[in-house]
Amino acid sequence: MSVVKINVLTVPAEQREVLEKRFASRVHAVENSDGFEWFELLRPVEGTDTYLVYTRWRDEASFQAWLEGPMKAAHQGGAEGAERPKPAASGSTLWSFEVVQQAGPKEA
């Protein structure tokens, strides 16, 4: 059964571009991971400063392997000894779900 992880990020308006550029530069850190099924970065349209980072995984073990490997490496950033950039988000919460039902477009 697939699992969905949604990282809820509070991002001040002045940091939105920074956040989006960082995700764009690290896209391959997730898409080649074993068990990875889907990724979306959702930008708020109105009334909130919350971004949602949606990832879908074959199972919890696949997510945990990515978390401890490629994700950890991607967030360490910079060259050896270089100062790590400041986070673009001012807060983060991780939501976890199991996929119980799903539907796609009906074939014509």
Side-chain angles (χ1 to χ4, degrees), residues 6-37:
I6 300 174
N7 196 358
V8 182
L9 302 175
T10 304
V11 182
E14 66 275 6
Q15 290 290 79
R16 287 180 166 198
E17 187 176 342
V18 170
L19 179 89
E20 291 178 21
K21 284 182 178 179
R22 286 183 186 169
F23 270 93
S25 71
R26 296 193 297 239
V27 71
H28 300 295
V30 70
E31 66 186 25
N32 295 322
S33 297
D34 184 49
F36 169 76
E37 295 177 354

Side-chain angles (χ1 to χ4, degrees), residues 15-61:
Q15 290 290 79
R16 287 180 166 198
E17 187 176 342
V18 170
L19 179 89
E20 291 178 21
K21 284 182 178 179
R22 286 183 186 169
F23 270 93
S25 71
R26 296 193 297 239
V27 71
H28 300 295
V30 70
E31 66 186 25
N32 295 322
S33 297
D34 184 49
F36 169 76
E37 295 177 354
W38 197 258
F39 162 84
E40 291 177 322
L41 176 61
L42 306 176
R43 176 193 303 138
V45 176
E46 58 186 35
T48 184
D49 58 357
T50 303
Y51 274 73
L52 300 179
V53 182
Y54 174 101
T55 57
R56 182 172 165 151
W57 301 86
R58 176 180 56 229
D59 52 32
E60 182 67 26

